[in-house]
Amino acid sequence: MKLHRRDFLAGTTALGLVNLARPAWAAIAPQLKQKLDEIAADYLKTSPEALTYLGMDKGEYAWAKAKLSDASPAARAKAIADATRYLRIIQTVDPASLHGHDRLLREAVIYPLEIGAAGGQFAYGSVGTFGGGSPYVISQQDGSYQSLPTFLDTMHQIETSADAEAYLSRLGEWGRVLNQETDQVSHDAGLGVIAPDFILDTALTQLKELRAVPAAQARVVASLARRTREKNISGDWEARATKIVETRVYPALDRQIATVTALRAKANHDAGVWKLPKGADYYAWQLRNATSTDMTPEQVHQLGLDQGADLDAKMDAVLKSQGMSQGTVGERLAALTEDPKQLFPNTDAGKEEAVAFVNSKIEQLRALLPRVSNMHLKAPLIVKRVPKAIEAGAALGYMNPGSLDGSRPSIYYINLSDTANWPRFTIPSLSAHEGIPGHTWQFAYAAEHKEDVPLLFNLLGFNAYTEGWALYAEQLVDELGFYEHDPFGRLGMYQALRFRASRLVTDTGLHAKRWSREQAIDYLTSTTGRSRAACTSEVDRYCASPGQACGYKVGHTEIVRLRDKAKAELGAKFDVRDFDDAVIQAGQVPLTVLATAIDSYVAAKKAA
């Protein structure tokens, strides 16, 4: 694949090697650190939610706890302008004055800012200062109606009456945000940007279900009432929250429902962003953001086809070893997916059983950590079901990182809207991906080494690096014996890899080859053996988040390539724990920067 390797990267390894005896972040050049901190501090002024996610909404940032971000057109324009302004700030640091990893850090910041600035060419959707965005401000997975209840319930910590007052303030601000989103959706519709009919159908169902709950019983009210009661914080919190929902939130929600309903009458069934203004350019922008490569849609598509065929052969061998030899690989996987022995009952009790099974796998995976890494990360984690109110449109599994101050552990969410989406044999690999040693362990490094990691690098997110690591983690635990006595678990791991390869084909099919939703669902179902309901949810996700699903397999492929290269060059000196630590200590970086960091690790190891 062709990666973004700018001219300055040539010879970086010779300029200074990563010190493997300490985190690669240590002893960062003062002039670079000052600029990184300047950008982070300025950005956080506009993102109170980020401060809460990081556990920093206290002290000098206490103001953030009562605020929500601005979602107005002016805020969107500012995000794009800030990307350009931050670029100028970081570019004042002369790369010739930097050595080793510091040069890579500079490049890692430049990359997403260039993508964020490039978002200005599109007059619709959301745009992030550090790259990416969504074409549709409201969808089955986008919009504050989706995110705010969970954010307030799980991220907004309540220990004092001041925290509860801040909660009420945020609850009131939610009405403003809903109205701003509604205005943006109306603006975008005037440009011809309307989500597909099936996306709006799901969004409307969820919006109406949210609105149908009496204000006094709303999740956002119940959360505040329960937690103030548990903390013995006196006050009429429930009544005050109910009034805010009745007078500020629900009127804004009614307006949003009316607007989306009107747009549904104008929507068509075209699934891909090719139909949008500058659609091809928009997809290329999103693909670059998601993969941190210059791969074209055609190259991504072909990579998925090639790797899919290889994984089919591996799954075929496992299936035959278990006496399943009739039909295509996809058909046999589909049969296994429907096998009652693999399914948890689709009841509350069955869903509790599924969560308990996840926890048992997490403990088995945690026992492997000494063979994964030389670091001793605690990586606290709790497992939860996706809340019922949003499970219809939410991803099938995801993780929310813990706070930097350790006050909130990582939360691994599994979507159990239908337990058939997660047969037993698929859960071990999911748990390695979202939990240990995947995302939970990956993000724990920054939290447990925060004195070494510049704050800005907790705000950046490189999809291919982040998801590539988690997919690599699924493969790594297999190599360490996790599935030694669990052939169906190994099959689940192969299926998960096949699923990500199929995503490459499906996402590019939708957005570059003009596939229909039905064509995409058929392909994903037939190649992965997953339930049609699960594949439908996934395809709809790709329609709302173009390119994002491509980062997983592209990132995984690059990490495995770098490991194979390191093995070949180091021979007997290679230790997978050192390699794993080098990848994690590289930090949140694009794939090009990761490649150069690993080159430095190899050179240092050779010289040791």
Side-chain angles (χ1 to χ4, degrees):
M1 68 186 69
K2 180 183 178 184
L3 299 176
H4 265 293
R5 285 186 178 269
R6 293 177 175 81
D7 293 341
F8 95 96
L9 287 173
T12 295
T13 302
L15 291 170
L17 304 177
V18 175
N19 185 343
L20 297 179
R22 65 182 181 182
W25 303 90
I28 185 172
Q31 71 272 28
L32 177 61
K33 187 175 188 306
Q34 189 272 324
K35 297 302 181 185
L36 296 177
D37 289 346
E38 178 184 345
I39 293 170
D42 189 77
Y43 175 79
L44 287 171
K45 293 176 184 177
T46 65
S47 186
E49 293 92 340
L51 286 162
T52 294
Y53 272 113
L54 295 173
M56 293 176 59
D57 53 357
K58 56 198 71 172
E60 66 174 307
Y61 292 118
W63 58 267
K65 198 155 192 173
K67 300 291 184 182
L68 295 178
S69 295
D70 188 355
S72 69
R76 182 184 187 278
K78 185 179 186 303
I80 296 167
D82 282 348
T84 301
R85 181 163 60 88
Y86 296 159
L87 269 173
R88 288 197 297 267
I89 290 173
I90 196 66
Q91 288 169 342
T92 62
V93 180
D94 183 0
S97 70
L98 302 176
H99 301 281
H101 202 73
D102 285 355
R103 279 197 170 193
L104 303 186
L105 301 185
R106 179 182 182 274
E107 175 68 4
V109 175
I110 288 174
Y111 189 95
L113 290 174
E114 289 180 340
I115 294 176
Q121 66 186 295
F122 308 109
Y124 54 87
S126 62
V127 178
T129 296
F130 300 113
S134 301
Y136 312 116
V137 174
I138 298 171
S139 71
Q140 87 285 14
Q141 62 187 37
D142 296 296
S144 62
Y145 87 93
Q146 265 275 337
S147 60
L148 230 292
T150 298
F151 172 78
L152 288 175
D153 186 35
T154 63
M155 299 296 163
H156 185 109
Q157 301 298 293
I158 295 178
E159 299 292 337
T160 67
S161 60
D163 295 338
E165 290 288 353
Y167 184 105
L168 289 175
S169 176
R170 274 181 159 163
L171 190 57
E173 291 234 318
W174 187 18
R176 168 185 59 77
V177 174
L178 284 165
N179 281 323
Q180 289 174 333
E181 291 170 339
T182 300
D183 291 341
Q184 182 69 47
V185 167
S186 297
H187 167 273
D188 292 354
L191 300 175
V193 177
I194 300 175
D197 52 12
F198 51 89
I199 294 294
L200 294 181
D201 285 341
T202 304
L204 278 170
T205 296
Q206 295 179 153
L207 281 163
K208 290 176 180 178
E209 287 177 351
L210 181 67
R211 178 61 180 86
V213 177
Q217 299 172 25
R219 182 184 177 195
V220 289
V221 174
S223 174
L224 179 61
R226 182 189 74 252
R227 291 190 287 157
T228 51
R229 186 168 56 250
E230 290 171 350
K231 297 292 183 178
N232 294 316
I233 303 171
S234 61
D236 55 346
W237 307 111
E238 185 172 2
R240 293 172 66 191
T242 298
K243 184 175 180 180
I244 291 172
V245 171
E246 287 175 338
T247 61
R248 300 174 67 177
V249 175
Y250 277 2
L253 201 56
D254 287 337
R255 180 170 177 256
Q256 190 162 107
I257 290 170
T259 297
V260 175
T261 299
L263 292 181
R264 173 60 182 84
K266 302 176 182 178
N268 61 35
H269 201 64
D270 294 334
V273 294
W274 54 264
K275 68 179 182 179
L276 304 182
K278 297 184 179 179
D281 291 340
Y282 185 86
Y283 186 52
W285 175 67
Q286 290 281 32
L287 203 58
R288 182 185 170 216
N289 178 67
T291 67
S292 60
T293 74
D294 279 336
M295 293 180 72
T296 66
E298 189 58 45
Q299 289 171 325
V300 172
H301 195 85
Q302 191 60 48
L303 178 66
L305 292 173
D306 293 342
Q307 294 200 358
D310 178 64
L311 287 161
D312 282 347
K314 291 178 178 178
M315 289 191 291
D316 181 54
V318 176
L319 287 163
K320 285 179 177 176
S321 74
Q322 300 304 305
M324 300 179 70
S325 59
Q326 300 300 311
T328 67
V329 168
E331 288 168 347
R332 281 175 279 167
L333 284 171
L336 186 63
T337 296
E338 296 172 358
D339 185 342
K341 290 181 291 187
Q342 291 290 340
L343 299 179
F344 297 97
N346 197 32
T347 62
D348 285 341
K351 293 173 184 183
E352 289 178 9
E353 183 185 352
V355 170
F357 185 67
V358 171
N359 278 310
S360 71
K361 293 302 170 183
I362 291 294
E363 290 309 306
Q364 292 175 30
L365 288 162
R366 196 175 286 279
L368 293 175
L369 280 181
R371 297 170 61 197
V372 170
S373 168
N374 290 310
M375 298 187 288
H376 302 284
L377 303 180
K378 299 181 181 67
L381 169 68
I382 59 176
V383 179
K384 289 187 176 184
R385 288 175 54 187
V386 172
K388 290 182 179 180
I390 64 169
E391 62 187 7
L396 294 179
Y398 56 93
M399 192 277 294
N400 283 343
S403 60
L404 289 182
D405 66 356
S407 63
R408 186 189 68 248
S410 293
I411 303 174
Y412 158 16
Y413 285 99
I414 181 168
N415 192 329
L416 295 172
S417 58
D418 185 343
T419 55
N421 290 335
W422 288 116
R424 289 178 184 272
F425 77 96
T426 65
I427 284 179
S429 60
L430 175 71
S431 300
H433 184 105
E434 303 295 349
I436 306 292
H439 288 320
T440 297
W441 188 80
Q442 174 187 45
F443 284 103
Y445 175 74
E448 297 177 32
H449 292 79
K450 51 182 173 290
E451 68 280 0
D452 300 317
V453 181
L455 178 59
L456 182 60
F457 280 81
N458 290 289
L459 301 173
L460 305 180
F462 294 94
N463 184 59
Y465 168 84
T466 302
E467 298 297 351
W469 168 265
L471 202 52
Y472 166 72
E474 296 183 44
Q475 174 182 330
L476 177 63
V477 298
D478 175 43
E479 296 165 346
L480 297 177
F482 184 49
Y483 302 114
E484 183 176 1
H485 303 295
D486 183 10
F488 282 125
R490 176 174 288 115
L491 182 67
M493 182 266 297
Y494 283 142
Q495 185 194 40
L497 292 172
R498 179 57 165 110
F499 183 52
R500 275 41 174 256
S502 293
R503 278 177 165 177
L504 300 180
V505 179
T506 305
D507 196 272
T508 51
L510 285 163
H511 300 296
K513 296 180 176 294
R514 304 194 175 195
W515 283 14
S516 68
R517 180 201 195 202
E518 290 70 29
Q519 184 178 358
I521 294 169
D522 288 345
Y523 175 81
L524 200 60
T525 304
S526 65
T527 58
T528 67
R530 292 202 170 191
S531 70
R532 192 168 185 85
C535 290
T536 298
S537 175
E538 282 291 319
V539 167
D540 291 356
R541 170 187 167 189
Y542 312 154
C543 293
S545 299
Q548 191 272 339
C550 297
Y552 297 70
K553 203 67 180 70
V554 170
H556 168 254
T557 299
E558 178 66 358
I559 291 173
V560 172
R561 183 191 73 81
L562 291 171
R563 190 180 68 169
D564 290 345
K565 180 183 176 187
K567 277 184 180 179
E569 293 188 23
L570 292 175
K573 285 189 171 184
F574 178 82
D575 185 325
V576 72
R577 295 170 298 178
D578 290 340
F579 173 83
D580 296 342
D581 290 348
V583 172
I584 294 302
Q585 291 175 353
Q588 282 288 335
V589 293
L591 294 184
T592 98
V593 171
L594 178 63
T596 308
I598 297 304
D599 287 346
S600 293
Y601 143 76
V602 170
K605 196 76 171 175
K606 282 181 176 178

